């Protein structure tokens, strides 16, 4: 039997440097995010950028919408550098980006990338001139540009033209298909103009975002088919909570498996006062679950059933997962490679031993009516059996010992 098919080969041929981060050209898929602070609020923006970066966001986008925000950008960059947060910053420009970059050269210099929406960079006769001004600034400062079309702010002149052309056809296609075509053309035409102006191909990233899963998949497949630019993926306005997570996972998972996408963002609406870093965690989990990257040790845990009326395995799975999340910042430097660890916390004898054997270290807790003992499996072999009221803590101690023996050895070997 043949192996299960892996993901298609990434389509972008040239890497794009966004600050110190490589995007495309065979580089690992990059997770990025965006602040929701007022960029003119330097303290608040620095705090949120730092939190996003520490959560694992490798690029962070900030809004640059007025003079006060543009003036704050170099100070934000300086503050971040001072506290050791070197994450590249992307300026999100709409309507007056050309003016803000011209009036605030320190902002233009401090940013690693400019995001331009071809649908609102300018209108009528101003559009090409204002787009050109931003691209020329990027070329002058050696910055990357993301040309990001969005169906919520699509180039209406282009859309109207395509709709009129379609109406004259003997068998016109539906309006949604025309809208998708307008998104693709908007991105590609703008990229072509950017190259004509003098921005090299290895400075350009494209995106074409919509909020409907099937439309997103169709749009990005067509964009990838017709170009080899680096591509940023994201389901725009994905929504709140499980709806946003599921929709983003479904859309991005299919496209990534197709080999489409070099950077991703999960655009979740946070709960009031919620944690903005959740979108970073979800992006990482999509990539890790699909096998593209590893960020944190994985904890496999059964969902529970009538055989697992005890909540011990649920509590232990939660404790292990929370402990891993809290410990990872220190573990990254102390235990290189620990992100590849697999832990299993299982609730009964049906799948518990087998699943635990597949993990690096696993525990099979007793189900309803089973003997109150928990076999431990390490590297596929039964190592011992835990009993008594402290099974949970005993297992956590075993995991800590396993990490020290396996990954601490790598640190010691490197030092010798």
């Amino acid at each position: 039997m043949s192996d299960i098919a892996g993901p298609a080969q990434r389509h972008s041929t040239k890497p794009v440097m966004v600050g110190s981060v490589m995007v495309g050209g065979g580089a690992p898929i990059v997770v990025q995010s965006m602040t929701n602070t007022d960029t003119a609020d330097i303290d608040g923006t620095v705090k949120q950028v730092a939190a996003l970066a520490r959560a694992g966001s490798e690029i962070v986008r900030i809004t640059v919408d007025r003079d006060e925000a543009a003036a704050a950008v170099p100070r934000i960059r300086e503050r971040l550098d001072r506290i050791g947060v070197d994450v590249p910053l992307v300026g999100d420009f709409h309507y007056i980006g050309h003016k803000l970059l011209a009036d605030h050269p320190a902002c233009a210099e401090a940013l690693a990338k400019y995001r331009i929406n071809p649908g609102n960079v300018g209108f009528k006769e101003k559009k090409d001139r204002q787009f050109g001004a931003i691209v020329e600034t990027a070329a002058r400062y050696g910055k990357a540009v993301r040309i990001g079309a969005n169906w919520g702010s699509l180039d209406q002149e282009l859309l109207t033209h395509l709709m009129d052309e379609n109406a004259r056809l003997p068998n016109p296609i539906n309006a949604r298909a025309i809208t998708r075509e307008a998104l693709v053309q908007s991105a590609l035409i703008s990229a072509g103009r950017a190259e004509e102006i003098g921005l090299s191909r290895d400075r350009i990233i494209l995106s074409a975002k919509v909020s409907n899963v099937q439309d997103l998949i169709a749009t990005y497949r067509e964009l990838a088919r017709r170009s080899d630019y680096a591509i940023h993926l994201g389901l725009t306005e994905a929504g709140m909570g499980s709806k946003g997570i599921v929709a983003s996972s479904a859309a991005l998972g299919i496209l990534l498996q197709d080999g489409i996408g070099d950077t991703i963002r999960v655009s979740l609406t946070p709960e009031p006062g919620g944690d903005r870093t959740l979108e970073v965690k979800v992006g990482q989990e999509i990539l890790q679950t699909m096998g593209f990257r590893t960020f944190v040790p994985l904890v496999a845990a059964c969902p529970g059933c009538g055989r697992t009326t005890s909540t011990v395995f649920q509590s232990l799975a939660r404790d292990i997962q929370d402990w891993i999340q809290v410990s990872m910042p220190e573990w990254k430097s102390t235990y290189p490679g620990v992100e590849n660890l697999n832990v299993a916390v299982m609730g009964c004898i049906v799948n518990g031993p087998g699943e635990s054997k597949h993990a690096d270290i696993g525990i099979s807790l007793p189900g309803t009516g089973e003997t109150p003992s928990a076999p431990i499996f390490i590297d596929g072999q039964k190592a011992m059996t835990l009993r008594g009221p402290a099974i949970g803590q005993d297992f956590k101690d075993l995991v800590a010992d396993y990490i020290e023996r396996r990954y601490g050895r790598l640190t010691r070997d490197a030092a010798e």
Side-chain angles (χ1 to χ4, degrees):
M1 293 179 65
S2 61
D3 291 338
I4 295 173
Q9 186 173 352
R10 312 234 69 73
H11 85 284
S12 59
T13 57
K14 288 189 176 181
V16 178
M17 294 305 300
V18 179
S20 60
V21 175
M22 183 181 294
V23 173
I29 302 164
V30 172
V31 176
Q32 60 179 279
S33 59
M34 185 175 184
T35 60
N36 61 356
T37 58
D38 178 356
T39 305
D41 174 8
I42 295 172
D43 290 343
T45 302
V46 167
K47 181 179 179 181
Q48 192 173 89
V49 171
L52 291 166
R54 287 166 181 154
S57 184
E58 294 155 303
I59 297 173
V60 176
R61 183 158 48 115
I62 60 177
T63 298
V64 187
D65 58 346
R66 64 194 195 280
D67 285 308
E68 291 84 357
V73 170
R75 296 171 64 189
I76 291 168
R77 180 72 273 166
E78 289 169 6
R79 288 268 298 276
L80 290 168
D81 290 342
R82 201 155 56 236
I83 61 175
V85 178
D86 61 355
V87 65
L89 296 178
V90 178
D92 194 56
F93 293 102
H94 297 276
Y95 308 112
I96 59 169
H98 62 291
K99 184 176 184 302
L100 293 174
L101 287 168
D103 292 348
H104 299 273
C107 169
E109 179 64 36
L111 294 168
K113 183 174 74 172
Y114 311 154
R115 190 273 180 141
I116 311 174
N117 184 334
N120 58 28
V121 70
F123 304 99
K124 303 288 185 185
E125 70 282 352
K126 294 180 180 179
K127 180 171 64 176
D128 287 347
R129 183 172 70 253
Q130 292 176 181
F131 176 84
I134 297 175
V135 171
E136 287 171 358
T137 302
R140 183 164 64 254
Y141 286 102
K143 306 298 182 180
V145 168
R146 172 158 72 92
I147 297 172
N150 189 303
W151 77 347
S153 50
L154 189 52
D155 183 334
Q156 292 302 302
E157 187 177 352
L158 174 60
L159 180 60
T160 300
H161 171 71
L162 292 177
M163 289 288 189
D164 289 345
E165 278 192 341
N166 182 59
R168 291 192 290 269
L169 295 174
N171 298 299
I173 59 178
N174 66 66
R176 290 181 84 90
I178 294 299
T179 302
R180 293 196 299 265
E181 175 62 19
L183 278 165
V184 173
Q185 285 200 26
S186 179
L188 293 177
I189 290 169
S190 298
R193 287 176 180 157
E195 288 197 67
E196 290 172 3
I197 291 167
L199 191 66
S200 61
R201 198 176 189 86
D202 61 357
R203 293 285 181 184
I204 298 172
I205 298 171
L206 301 185
S207 66
K209 292 189 176 183
V210 305
S211 56
N212 176 278
V213 169
Q214 293 296 344
D215 284 310
L216 188 87
I217 293 167
T219 299
Y220 271 104
R221 280 176 170 168
E222 187 63 16
L223 181 63
R225 186 184 71 81
R226 287 155 64 173
S227 77
D228 64 351
Y229 292 102
I231 284 181
H232 169 70
L233 292 184
L235 184 75
T236 191
E237 289 92 39
M240 184 179 285
S242 62
K243 184 269 180 185
I245 293 171
V246 171
S248 293
S249 300
L252 272 59
I254 290 170
L255 290 166
L256 291 167
Q257 190 68 16
D258 283 349
I260 299 168
D262 303 289
T263 79
I264 66 169
R265 182 195 172 200
V266 178
S267 300
L268 297 179
T269 304
E271 300 283 350
D275 186 355
R276 188 69 169 180
T277 64
L278 177 61
E279 67 175 51
V280 179
K281 182 180 178 182
V282 173
Q284 290 182 327
E285 288 181 352
I286 290 171
L287 295 179
Q288 182 153 346
T289 300
M290 295 193 67
F292 292 114
R293 294 187 64 182
T294 54
F295 298 97
V296 296
L298 287 177
V299 179
C302 71
C305 66
R307 298 183 183 89
T308 56
T309 52
S310 168
T311 60
V312 173
F313 84 95
Q314 298 167 340
S315 298
L316 181 56
R318 182 195 59 205
D319 289 348
I320 292 290
Q321 197 146 288
D322 291 347
W323 174 54
I324 285 171
Q325 290 289 340
V326 170
S327 302
M328 273 307 292
E330 178 185 346
W331 285 356
K332 281 181 181 178
S333 57
T334 308
Y335 302 117
V338 71
E339 65 273 9
N340 297 302
L341 177 71
N342 288 305
V343 180
V345 180
M346 304 301 292
C348 81
I349 198 170
V350 174
N351 292 319
E355 188 69 40
S356 295
K357 288 178 183 178
H358 290 303
D360 295 309
I361 180 168
I363 182 171
S364 179
L365 290 156
T368 304
E370 294 175 14
T371 303
S373 60
I376 302 298
F377 296 84
I378 297 176
D379 295 329
Q381 301 295 320
K382 183 177 177 181
M384 65 191 73
T385 299
L386 297 180
R387 295 181 177 85
I391 284 177
Q393 184 58 53
D394 291 344
F395 179 65
K396 190 184 291 187
D397 292 342
L398 288 171
V399 173
D401 181 65
Y402 182 88
I403 290 171
E404 172 61 33
R405 285 188 292 105
R406 178 172 175 179
Y407 299 101
R409 176 179 53 79
L410 298 176
T411 304
R412 291 190 295 272
D413 290 347
E416 291 176 357

